[in-house]
């Protein structure tokens, strides 16, 4: 590997030491009224002399090196890949004018020049700034020195030969612009080569130009120079005697460079031609002097440069390693801006696909967290929690510090898995785009001018002269047998117990599965296994299928041959699954499974799910489902007894979803087998199959009840298939997760009736069901939300309401809830935030004592250096990595219970202490604690840097304080315990609406006097809206989609923020903290009420996770479901209606 760029940057690196002392004491719940908050943190960093790199001397040579490396970093951040000297000068070296004229003054000066030739020198002083002109010459000298330095270090290169120069200078990008030269410049070069083409080919003709070959390159090959014709023989190749074009390209760029230097010193937009020519001549003269000092001349000056490929590749690999490590286990998919990208270098310029294929050309869209932090675009709360590990720190522990990768080969396999991840992200996104266009075509909404992805794939496939198995989207060539064989051998090289014979058997199994399906799809005939009329919808699905078969067999082979030492090493740091090649491939397989199920490959999909759930293929289970014997169920206990790290390569939520989908796929396999039995006139034993499924579900629930290896919502989903009451199925011991989080199995009024109930019964939320008038659209379309008619005169200008706005009307006017209780009376206002405010309170209150955001709370327990450094692997991660490892346990060595080292299990003592203290606080104390926590974060942050999250907290400080008082300690404690137990699962699924109101506690209960929140709180309540919308981005270390696997939040079409936007945001001053909230208004005490409402339309149903959240919130507070139906006859009394 060429590490020139990495070494150059590491030379300038200076470690960032921690603050040894904080001026403000810790004000978290555990440290309030405690003397320990005044002490210096125990893990304060060593002195700067021993912990920092030696300061670099500020001499001229080092300063020049720093400036040159700074230029390299700027070019690295841009798209490129080719850069011109004039563009580099204008962007990074051109001086800024200190003083300028107004447009009126410029116009007057130009008028004087046109009328009086005698005052040219005086007028010139007004247009050209001499000081800026001299600075421009100086900057030109610095730029050329930096370019020469970077070239001498091997970081930049120019054209290798005339052939490459012609290819690049004559190429046109997808937008119609030239890759290196503009349209006029290309025509000028072409004329100098003797070509006769039309002038002024611009963007209007870009579509025509794209279809033609490179005109400059064609002219270079068609016409030879006189000298080459004299000395070349007839046997010479045509490429060796092409016309020289490099000199003409350099002349065009030098002309623009001289003009750019003059323009940088110009006050106005117009410079008279005579003055401009004089100044250009002066710049050219100075340029000759500069080049002579550099042992060069204008005729030999290279004007186009590219970052040299070898050091650039190494630097991108280092950046990818750092960025992927920063993402953490909660963000293991590419979104266009993170580090899950490809670094492969292959030509995608001629591709007609609307999305950029995975390659190094996509790296210009990457968002670097440190750069965003320094620009003030983003803020990271775990900067102080990170700790650098040096060789000196190894003596502080008895054991040797463990590495993230076991060896170099393990790291190389991880890089290969990231390449596969990037390609799968592209294939899935392209596949979704194709289906989206097909749906629009079916609805008649598709434009003829739009880019049809399906036709482009077919057209590109037909234009390429390649073998049949290599498609336009198969960038990894996985449809070729040789590539699949190479992948299997590559990944199996780390398996110590595998032999050559077993690997060959694995390859044969993979090839037989792929060839069997491809032969059926190509012939479109039935092969006797129920796959008639099944074929892939497009080429993307075909590539994804081949990848899924290879990966599931690889993972099964790997987990079968894992050693005890490897298992213990992985399990010790299970929160680093995003740094395991097994973990990356597991999530790749998880994203490929929906394609298998859509194309009815249920047996292959079930095998993939079995690998993710059990770690091995359960062939006996699949084959025995349709038979009378059920001895295959005896092997189910192996999941919790023979435990390996393969059971933690996906999260608890994903594992529960995988089991639910596995049961569905088993049912589809049974139906396919039933079709075959019907054709042979054999009897189908449906009763036996259902009995086997019931026994299987019972065993899963029994195992999950003890270990909680899947979420409680998945347990309930699996238990439904047994058609038995949930409390009867779980028994007296109930479920560990349900007992800990307070999840009820039945409603209170069912306790006396449960013996008479048949079928599945569990807890049902309170439902407010009412009638709503639906607006029938004149042009109905699939996927559009329902619209309803409102009834309030104050919003008569609104033509229709969505379901959340309509629910807000009902609760605000007192129409809901229907039962006359403490929630009736109306006057509700609130947010449609899906739990964002509750997650904000979780972040604010748990920041210091539990999440260790600022790294200064003295209440937390000391952790070893190895553990702390692996949980906080980089400075810019958005959550502790173990926060995304749920709490569950397994059995080892018989009946000995072992806890998975997740966030809750590792911090159970301090979490219990924190939640107990939180539950005991009064409403006013909770309000004060929220305010003081925000104040502490504001004091400890850098006031110069813009912090959008902190500014939002300051803006809503009084609202958050009021909500904390309204929730109460019990509700906050119950909700926070769920998030701390498994943040990956419980960070979503919260109710749609958060409603709030306040009343004077000294008023009569029958006639409450409600408080005007606009005058008491202010902030969002000053807006003339009942339903407020809050940004739903309060997720720590994960996205809103999470492990659903159904869609991806892609940022590929979002434009990067411009420099002007960055400066405007960074220049915003930090807001001042408002006055602390007191639970009194106008001299009277105030009581706050909060209500969570999950809103559902007529055909919408509650998700299992949403039911669990309603279960928790209703037990310690108020939470309901608002159900709208379209007809009075459909209203029924359901549950606690």
């Amino acid at each position: 590997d060429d590490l020139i760029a990495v070494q150059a940057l590491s030379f300038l690196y200076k470690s960032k030491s921690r603050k040894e002392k904080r001026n403000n004491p810790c004000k978290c719940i555990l440290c309030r009224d405690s003397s320990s908050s005044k002490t210096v943190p125990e893990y304060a960093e060593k002195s700067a002399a021993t912990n920092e790199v030696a300061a670099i001397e500020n001499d001229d040579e080092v300063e020049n090196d720093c400036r040159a490396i700074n230029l390299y970093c700027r070019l690295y951040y841009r798209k490129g890949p080719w850069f011109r000297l004039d563009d580099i000068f204008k962007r990074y070296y051109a001086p800024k004018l200190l003083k300028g004229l107004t447009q009126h003054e410029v116009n007057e000066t130009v008028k004087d020049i046109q009328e009086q030739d005698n005052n040219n020198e005086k007028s010139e002083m007004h247009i050209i700034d001499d000081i800026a002109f001299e600075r421009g010459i100086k900057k030109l000298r610095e730029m050329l020195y930096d370019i020469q330095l970077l070239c001498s270090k091997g970081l930049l290169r120019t054209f290798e030969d005339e052939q490459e120069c012609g290819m690049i200078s004559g190429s046109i990008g997808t937008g119609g612009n030239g890759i290196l030269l503009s349209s006029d410049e290309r025509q000028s070069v072409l004329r100098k080569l003797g070509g006769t083409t039309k002038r002024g080919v611009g963007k209007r003709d870009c579509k025509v130009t794209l279809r033609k070959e490179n005109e400059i390159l064609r002219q270079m090959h068609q016409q030879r120079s006189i000298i080459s014709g004299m000395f070349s023989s007839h046997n010479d190749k045509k490429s060796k005697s092409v016309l020289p074009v490099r000199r003409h390209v350099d002349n065009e760029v030098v002309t623009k460079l001289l003009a750019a230097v003059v323009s940088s010193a110009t006050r106005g937009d117009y410079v008279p031609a005579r003055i401009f020519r004089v100044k250009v001549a002066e710049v050219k003269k100075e340029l000759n002097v500069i080049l002579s000092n550099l042992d060069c001349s204008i005729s030999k000056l290279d004007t186009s440069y590219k970052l040299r490929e070898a050091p650039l590749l190494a630097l991108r690999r280092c950046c990818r390693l750092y960025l992927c490590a920063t993402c953490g286990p909660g963000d293991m998919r590419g979104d266009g801006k993170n580090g899950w990208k490809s670094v492969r270098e292959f030509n995608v310029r001629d591709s007609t696909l609307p999305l950029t294929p995975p390659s190094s050309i996509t790296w210009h869209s990457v968002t670097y967290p440190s750069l965003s932090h320094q620009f003030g675009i983003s803020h990271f709360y775990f900067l102080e929690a990170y700790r650098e590990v040096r060789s000196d720190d190894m003596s502080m522990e008895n054991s040797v510090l463990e590495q993230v990768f076991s060896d170099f080969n393990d790291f190389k396999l991880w890089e290969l898995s990231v390449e596969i991840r990037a390609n799968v992200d592209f294939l899935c996104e392209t596949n979704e785009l194709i289906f989206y266009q097909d749906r629009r075509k079916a609805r008649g909404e598709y434009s003829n001018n739009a880019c049809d992805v399906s036709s482009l794939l077919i057209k590109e496939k037909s234009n390429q002269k390649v073998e049949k198995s290599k498609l336009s989207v198969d960038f990894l060539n996985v449809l070729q047998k040789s590539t699949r064989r190479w992948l299997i051998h590559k990944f199996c090289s780390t398996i110590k117990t595998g032999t050559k014979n077993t690997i060959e058997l694995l390859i044969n199994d993979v090839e037989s599965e792929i060839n069997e399906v491809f032969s059926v799809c190509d012939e479109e005939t039935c092969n006797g296994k129920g796959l008639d009329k099944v074929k892939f919808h497009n080429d993307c699905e075909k590539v994804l299928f081949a990848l899924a078969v290879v990966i599931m067999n690889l993972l099964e082979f790997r987990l079968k041959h894992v050693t005890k030492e490897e298992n213990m090493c992985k399990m010790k740091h299970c929160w680093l699954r995003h740094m395991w090649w097994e973990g990356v491939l597991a999530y790749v397989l998880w994203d490929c499974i929906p394609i298998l199920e859509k194309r009815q490959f249920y047996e292959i999909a079930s095998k993939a799910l079995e690998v993710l759930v059990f770690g091995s293929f359960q062939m006996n289970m699949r084959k025995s489902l349709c038979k009378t014997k059920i001895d295959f169920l005896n092997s189910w206990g192996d999941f919790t007894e023979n435990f390996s790290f393969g059971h933690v390569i996906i999260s608890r939520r994903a594992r529960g979803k995988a089991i639910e989908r596995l049961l569905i796929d088993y049912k589809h396999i049974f139906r396919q087998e039933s079709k075959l039995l019907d054709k042979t006139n054999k009897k189908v034993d449906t009763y036996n199959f259902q009995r086997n499924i019931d026994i299987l579900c019972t065993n899963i629930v029994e195992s999950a009840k003890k270990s909680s290896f899947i979420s409680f919502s998945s347990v309930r989903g699996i238990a439904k298939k047994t058609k038995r009451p949930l409390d009867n199925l779980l028994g007296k011991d109930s479920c560990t997760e349900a007992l800990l989080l307070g999840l009820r199995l039945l409603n209170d009024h069912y306790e006396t009736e449960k013996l008479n109930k048949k079928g599945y019964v569990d807890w049902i939320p309170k439902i407010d069901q009412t009638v709503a008038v639906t607006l029938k659209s004149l042009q109905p379309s699939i996927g559009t939300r329902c619209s309803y008619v409102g009834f309030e005169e104050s919003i008569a200008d609104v033509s229709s309401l969505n379901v959340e706005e309509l629910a807000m009307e009902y609760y605000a006017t007192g129409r809901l809830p229907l039962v006359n209780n403490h929630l009736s009376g109306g006057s509700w206002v609130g947010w449609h935030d899906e739990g964002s405010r509750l997650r904000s309170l979780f972040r604010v209150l748990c920041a210091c004592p539990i999440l260790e955001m600022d790294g200064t709370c003295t209440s937390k327990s000391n952790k070893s250096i190895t553990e702390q450094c692996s949980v906080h692997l980089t400075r810019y991660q958005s959550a502790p990595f173990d926060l995304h490892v749920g709490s569950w346990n397994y059995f080892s060595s018989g009946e000995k219970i072992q806890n998975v080292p997740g966030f809750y299990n590792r911090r159970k003592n301090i979490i219990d202490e924190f939640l107990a203290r939180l539950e005991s606080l009064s409403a006013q104390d909770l309000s004060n604690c929220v305010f003081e926590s925000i104040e502490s974060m504001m004091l400890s942050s850098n006031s110069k840097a813009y912090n959008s999250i902190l500014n939002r907290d300051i803006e809503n400080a009084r609202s958050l304080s009021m909500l904390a008082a309204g929730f109460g300690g019990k509700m906050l404690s119950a909700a926070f315990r769920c998030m701390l137990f498994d943040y990956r699962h419980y960070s979503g699924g919260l109710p749609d609406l958060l409603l709030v109101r306040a009343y004077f506690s000294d008023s009569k209960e029958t006639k409450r006097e409600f408080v005007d929140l606009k005058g008491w709180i202010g902030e969002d309540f000053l807006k003339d809206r009942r339903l407020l919308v809050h940004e739903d981005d309060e997720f720590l270390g994960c996205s809103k989609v999470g492990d659903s696997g159904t869609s991806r939040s892609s940022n590929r079409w979002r434009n990067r923020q411009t420099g002007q936007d960055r400066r405007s945001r960074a220049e915003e001053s930090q807001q001042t903290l408002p006055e602390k909230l007191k639970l009194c208004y106008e001299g009277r005490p105030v009581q706050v009420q909060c209500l969570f409402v999950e809103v559902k339309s007529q055909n919408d149903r509650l998700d299992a996770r949403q039911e669990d959240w309603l279960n928790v919130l209703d037990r310690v507070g108020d939470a309901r479901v608002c159900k709208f139906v379209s007809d009075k006859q459909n209203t029924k009394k359901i549950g606690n209606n």
Side-chain angles (χ1 to χ4, degrees), residues 317 321 403-418 490-491 493-496 558 566 569-570 576-585 645:
R317 288 171 61 195
L321 173 64
Q403 301 294 326
V404 175
F405 301 102
S406 59
D407 52 25
F408 179 71
N409 194 27
D410 192 26
F411 165 68
K412 294 286 290 183
L413 292 181
W414 177 84
E415 284 193 309
L416 181 57
S417 66
V418 177
K490 191 73 174 177
F491 281 104
S493 61
T494 58
I495 301 176
K496 301 177 181 179
R558 164 62 173 156
E566 290 174 334
C569 183
K570 296 281 188 181
L576 294 178
R577 60 171 176 256
H578 63 296
M579 306 305 292
W580 305 341
W581 65 264
E582 300 93 345
V584 177
L585 291 185
F645 81 95

Side-chain angles (χ1 to χ4, degrees), residues 107-299:
N107 294 336
E108 291 295 330
T109 304
V110 173
K111 188 180 296 184
D112 293 341
I113 293 174
Q114 296 174 350
E115 293 178 357
Q116 300 178 2
D117 284 341
N118 298 332
N119 298 327
N120 285 338
E121 295 182 0
K122 183 178 180 181
S123 302
E124 179 182 341
M125 296 298 296
H126 288 280
I127 296 178
I128 303 296
D129 191 325
D130 290 339
I131 298 177
F133 185 77
E134 293 296 330
R135 292 176 62 236
I137 298 297
K138 180 181 178 182
K139 292 296 182 181
L140 177 63
R141 185 182 300 108
E142 292 179 356
M143 181 191 70
L144 294 176
Y145 175 85
D146 295 342
I147 294 292
Q148 187 190 49
L149 181 62
L150 292 176
C151 290
S152 64
K153 288 180 176 292
L155 297 176
L156 293 183
R157 74 169 181 89
T158 184
F159 300 118
E160 295 179 350
D161 51 22
E162 297 289 347
Q163 176 78 11
E164 184 182 19
C165 182
M167 291 178 58
I168 299 302
S169 60
S171 298
I172 302 175
T174 55
N177 298 320
I179 292 179
L180 184 65
L181 301 179
S182 63
S183 175
D184 294 336
E185 291 170 343
R186 290 196 304 274
Q187 301 306 316
S188 176
V189 171
L190 198 59
R191 287 194 300 270
K192 292 178 182 178
L193 293 176
T196 55
T197 58
K198 297 182 180 180
R199 303 180 61 182
V201 179
K203 289 187 177 181
R204 293 182 178 179
D205 304 321
C206 66
K207 295 183 178 180
V208 180
T209 309
L210 282 173
R211 298 174 185 174
K212 296 181 180 180
E213 59 180 335
N214 188 325
E215 295 182 354
I216 293 178
L217 187 63
R218 181 184 61 183
Q219 184 67 20
M220 291 170 60
H221 285 277
Q222 286 181 350
Q223 184 174 347
R224 300 185 183 183
S225 63
I226 299 176
I227 298 177
S228 63
M230 294 172 58
F231 296 98
S232 61
S233 61
H234 295 287
N235 296 328
D236 291 340
K237 293 183 178 180
K238 196 174 184 179
S239 59
K240 293 185 179 181
S241 59
V242 296
L243 278 177
V245 70
R246 192 167 174 176
R247 174 168 52 87
H248 304 306
V249 173
D250 290 340
N251 290 336
E252 292 290 333
V253 179
V254 167
T255 303
K256 294 296 178 67
L257 175 62
L258 299 177
V261 177
V262 176
S263 301
S264 65
T266 304
R267 295 180 183 271
D269 297 331
Y270 172 77
V271 180
R274 178 179 49 78
I275 298 176
F276 189 80
R277 287 195 298 268
V278 172
K279 288 298 180 182
V280 166
E282 293 182 14
V283 176
K284 187 174 183 179
K285 182 178 179 181
E286 293 292 337
L287 180 60
N288 283 321
V289 175
I290 296 172
L291 293 177
S292 63
N293 295 332
L294 297 175
D295 298 331
C296 187
S297 61
I298 292 184
S299 60

Side-chain angles (χ1 to χ4, degrees), residues 780-900:
S781 58
I782 302 174
T784 56
R785 299 192 66 188
C786 297
S787 299
Y788 298 89
V789 178
F791 49 82
E792 289 298 306
E793 297 179 357
S794 59
I795 53 173
D797 55 330
V798 180
S799 58
S800 63
L801 303 176
N802 59 35
V803 65
E804 290 84 12
E805 293 170 340
L806 184 63
M808 184 71 255
E809 275 197 18
Y810 272 87
Y811 285 97
T813 57
R815 289 177 170 85
L816 291 178
L818 300 175
V819 181
N820 187 13
N821 55 16
H822 66 287
L823 300 176
S824 59
S827 297
W828 293 98
V829 294
W831 298 269
H832 177 205
D833 63 350
E834 297 182 1
S836 180
R837 293 280 169 154
L838 185 58
R839 286 190 294 269
S840 297
L841 288 174
F842 172 78
R843 174 179 52 79
V844 170
L845 293 176
C846 299
C848 189
I850 305 299
L851 299 176
E852 305 167 15
M853 280 187 175
D854 58 358
T856 54
C857 179
T858 59
S859 299
K860 66 179 178 50
S861 59
N862 295 327
K863 298 181 179 63
S864 64
I865 297 176
T866 310
E867 185 175 305
Q868 184 178 357
C869 293
S870 60
V871 171
H872 297 279
L873 202 57
T874 70
R875 291 173 55 87
Y876 300 100
Q877 60 192 59
S878 55
F881 287 161
D882 58 344
L883 185 64
H884 292 274
V885 179
S887 176
W888 59 290
N889 50 65
Y890 61 95
F891 296 93
S892 66
S893 302
E895 294 296 326
K896 186 178 179 181
I897 299 178
Q898 298 288 338
N899 292 326
V900 173

